[in-house]
Amino acid sequence: MTQKENLQTTLEQNALDMVEAEDTGARHAGGLTGRVIAYVAVCWSLFQLWYASTLPFLFAHYVPILNDSEARAVHLAFALFLGFLTYPAFAKSPRASVPWNDWLFALLGAMSAGYLCVFNDALAERPGLPTTEDIVVAGIGLVLLLEATRRALGPPLMVLAMVFLAYVFFGDMAPEMIAWKGASLNRAMSHLWLTSEGVFGVALGVSTSFVFLFVLFGALLDQAGAGRYFIQLSFAAVGHMRGGPAKAAVLASGMTGLISGSSIANTVTTGTFTIPLMRRVGFSGEKAGAVEVAASVNGQIMPPVMGAAAFLMVEYVGIPYLDVIKHAFLPAILSYIALLYLVHLEALKAGMEGMARPERRGGFLGLAVMLMQAAGLIVLLNALYYSIQFVQSVAGEHAVWLIAALLGGAYVALVWVAARAPHTEKLLEGDALEHLPTTAEVARTGLHFLLPIGVLVWCLMIERLSPGLSAFWGTVTLLLLTFTQPLLLLFLQRGELAWAALLEGRAQLIEGLGTGARNMVAIAIATAAAGIIMGTVSLTGIAQVLTELVEFLSGGSLVLMLVLVAILSLILGMGLPTTANYIVVSGLLAGVVVELGAANGLVVPLIAVHLFVFYFGIMADVTPPVGVASFAAAAISRGDPLKTGGYAFLYSLRTVILPFFFIFNTKLLLIGVEGPVDLALTVLGALGAVLLFSAATQSFFLVRNRLWETGVLLLIAFTLFRPQFWIDQWQAPFDEVPIVQATSLIEEVEENGSARLIMRGETLEGDVVTRRILLPLGPAGSLTERFAFSGLAVRAEGEQTIVDDVDFASTAEKLGVDFDWEILALEVPVDRPNAYWSFLPAVVLFGLVLMSQRRRRREHAA
């Protein structure tokens, strides 16, 4: 191996060590200590599988059923115990052994969290009246949680939590604008540790119920070889194109992001393969790293996991999980398509070529084959769907066993296909791809990896099981696959049955269970630490102060308000993992957008607001000077970290603009789409807009742009993203109907539709405000029933309709509605020209740019 190759290998290993230290801990203890850590990690995974399944109810006579509070306590106890054993205190702390003080911290941390499980009934009998023992345990638990946060996640989240803690106790010493009276030790410890308002709140509950199983699913899938398979499949599919390795990086990171909860891990896992190959075809070190960062960070906005934020949105927004996935899907896909196009433009500008491939079909033949493969896949999926439906209708309660048998038969058949595929062993070992194999050749080596993913998707989308139970069944399928794959491959390849292959499968299974648990340590600690911040918000009301600050700085401008919220999200997200990042920015800033938007006539669905702050929170992983993903990529590419971050932010501009547009045009989130034509125009318009925006920001379309062409492309992109803007300039979109005349209109709103209401009432500060809200109405029914769906009870007082009550934690409460507010009017759409007529002048302008650039390209060619 040459000196250059040795250097590259060292850099890649350093990056992998960085990820390992972030995700599973930097300590690798051997002997008895190592076995204890591995045993506890496996036990945690088994506990989470047990808790997510229906088994506790089947064995209720023998094993007590844990409620949510008790399960959260056990979850955090495991996390703190493993956190102190696997994350050393300092850079010079021992890596091969665990000091006695870390054992003490681990035991005390686990006991402090487990206290809420053991004494759950006693604590429930004395709410708000903690004993001295309760306060001591809470104090020890909070201190140890902060230390575990520092070790597992670095200083940023710990410092942020400590700032909020200081505000809890010394709020009376804060500047007048944010001052509050402060809390006693008893009140603070009780609120933050002994109730479900702080550490053991919604975020840790989501980590317990959903996130762990999806992280475990991803760890097992990677352990089985699926991560390597996705990377190789991406290279085989697009590696031969211009800038092929960069396009493969985008695809591979997108597929890895489906199951990954860490942008840094995503960057390094795929980057060790893709970055050297990108440099080989002509990308600079900074640009190669930036492409990988932009693709990997985008993996956090890609359903179904979204860095675990998808499950938190279910709780915070109050909508079903499938709705979260539906609303998040189109922007994520658009962002990835735009990144592929950006890479293509970079390759065109530099005159790059793709990697060598032994077979290369002509354009029409290749397109025909692709269409036939897509059609075959659609036919196969439909046949599978209707076959399972038929089995369920015929077999009834026994259908699950028949479906399991069919699934087992499909698994054996697909592994047989993998065993017969040429170069299977080489591809599965992940050798360097000097010459690309065909896509079909690579695809055959891992089709069986799609089965557990199929089970997960089927349970989520078709059976409509909860995310936790769906992940349970997907993980059970994956456990069987991981255990049997080595033995089955050996038998189908060579006709042999070897005890060593069975032991290899068992080792992979145990390794996957342990890795999944260790990957969860940092996430569980992050959600618990973020609970300190959320508990402070609920205790002190600091979110209202932020609202007033942003309102003052924005001067009533909606766009400036959104820009300020975006900047604050970036700042608050610096150095935080995705899950904690979303908890913090949504808890502090989502309400700001809702409240100020409603006060200024902008009615936005809650999911749009939460996606807005989420997008800008994760941009902190890209943006210098703290963009940790950029530093990880630079460690592999040998590029300058700040330049890598700068390029990564430039490539991520298409992700930055999307939230601003889906706030004003919620059809981009598939909200309010009316029929297939509307859907098609929305998707095509958004796709054209994001591609043209990419061309404008790269100053290159067919040839290098002139300044006026860049301006026109940006104008066209704006029009395609928000076609209703130009119509709004001369005709208001809504008329106001007094609420006394609107009863029948509200009752006639389609099922699961919404009503735009104008309300007036007094805030807690004594200010009388008028706001517009978008109230979900749920199933068809009377006015009272439809309001009750969102937690709103109303009463009539003469000509007035008054809010009589607002249910706790309901959608109405999250929208800022309070009791005794008056509902003034209903806003109904005005009959006006279709907004899509704006596309026509946009197409004309695009034609002018196209003609100009085609003429210059012909001149350059001549």
Side-chain angles (χ1 to χ4, degrees), residues 206-477:
V206 171
S207 176
T208 306
S209 302
F210 306 140
V211 177
F212 189 103
L213 289 176
F214 277 86
V215 170
L216 178 60
F217 183 86
L220 286 167
L221 203 57
D222 188 62
Q223 184 69 36
R228 193 164 58 247
Y229 171 70
F230 288 155
I231 294 172
Q232 293 167 343
L233 187 62
S234 301
F235 270 95
V238 298
H240 63 284
M241 299 178 179
R242 285 183 181 271
K247 293 176 181 175
V250 175
L251 286 182
S253 295
M255 288 190 284
T256 305
L258 292 173
I259 57 174
S260 171
S262 168
S263 55
I264 305 172
N266 199 357
T267 298
V268 175
T269 302
T270 56
T272 51
F273 286 86
T274 60
I275 289 175
L277 289 172
M278 279 190 268
R279 296 199 65 183
R280 188 184 305 174
V281 298
F283 282 89
S284 67
E286 288 81 9
K287 288 188 175 181
V291 169
E292 182 57 52
V293 169
S296 298
V297 172
N298 266 158
Q300 303 302 284
I301 67 173
M302 176 64 73
V305 177
M306 298 167 62
F311 313 112
L312 289 161
M313 287 181 189
V314 171
E315 300 296 325
Y316 290 162
V317 181
I319 62 175
Y321 172 75
L322 289 181
D323 285 352
V324 172
I325 299 307
K326 180 184 76 173
H327 299 321
F329 180 75
L330 182 57
I333 290 295
L334 288 173
S335 189
Y336 266 108
I337 293 174
L339 185 56
L340 281 171
Y341 185 57
L342 278 169
V343 167
H344 180 70
L345 293 177
E346 287 283 5
L348 281 176
K349 287 191 288 186
M352 298 178 192
E353 295 295 333
M355 299 177 68
R357 191 168 73 168
E359 294 182 20
R360 191 165 186 174
R361 298 187 179 94
F364 287 110
L365 180 58
L367 180 61
V369 171
M370 186 185 302
L371 291 175
M372 289 176 62
Q373 290 172 340
L377 179 61
I378 291 172
V379 170
L380 179 63
L381 291 175
N382 274 280
L384 180 65
Y385 172 79
Y386 288 110
S387 297
I388 294 177
Q389 293 287 319
F390 175 76
V391 169
Q392 288 177 326
S393 64
V394 171
E397 60 182 13
H398 302 294
V400 64
W401 301 109
L402 288 174
I403 294 172
L406 291 172
L407 192 66
Y411 168 56
V412 173
L414 292 177
V415 174
W416 180 84
V417 171
R420 294 294 184 272
H423 311 301
T424 298
E425 292 183 359
K426 178 181 178 182
L427 289 169
L428 290 177
E429 289 171 4
D431 291 349
L433 298 173
E434 294 290 342
H435 295 280
L436 291 172
T438 64
T439 306
E441 182 183 33
V442 178
R444 289 198 296 271
T445 66
L447 289 173
H448 54 288
F449 293 133
L450 302 181
L451 287 176
I453 298 175
V455 170
L456 174 64
V457 172
W458 179 272
C459 292
L460 278 173
M461 304 295 183
I462 308 301
E463 299 297 331
R464 299 296 181 101
L465 302 180
S466 69
L469 194 54
S470 300
F472 168 78
W473 287 115
T475 303
V476 167
T477 307

Side-chain angles (χ1 to χ4, degrees), residues 25 27 44 77-88 102 106 148 151-152 521-522 525:
R27 182 174 281 150
W44 190 13
F78 271 115
L80 289 174
F81 186 81
L82 288 173
F84 283 107
L85 296 186
T86 57
Y87 289 91
D102 282 357
R151 295 188 183 199
V521 171
I525 290 174

Side-chain angles (χ1 to χ4, degrees), residues 790-802:
S790 293
L792 207 62
V794 298
R795 69 179 187 274
E797 291 185 0
E799 295 293 316
Q800 294 180 312
T801 300
I802 306 297

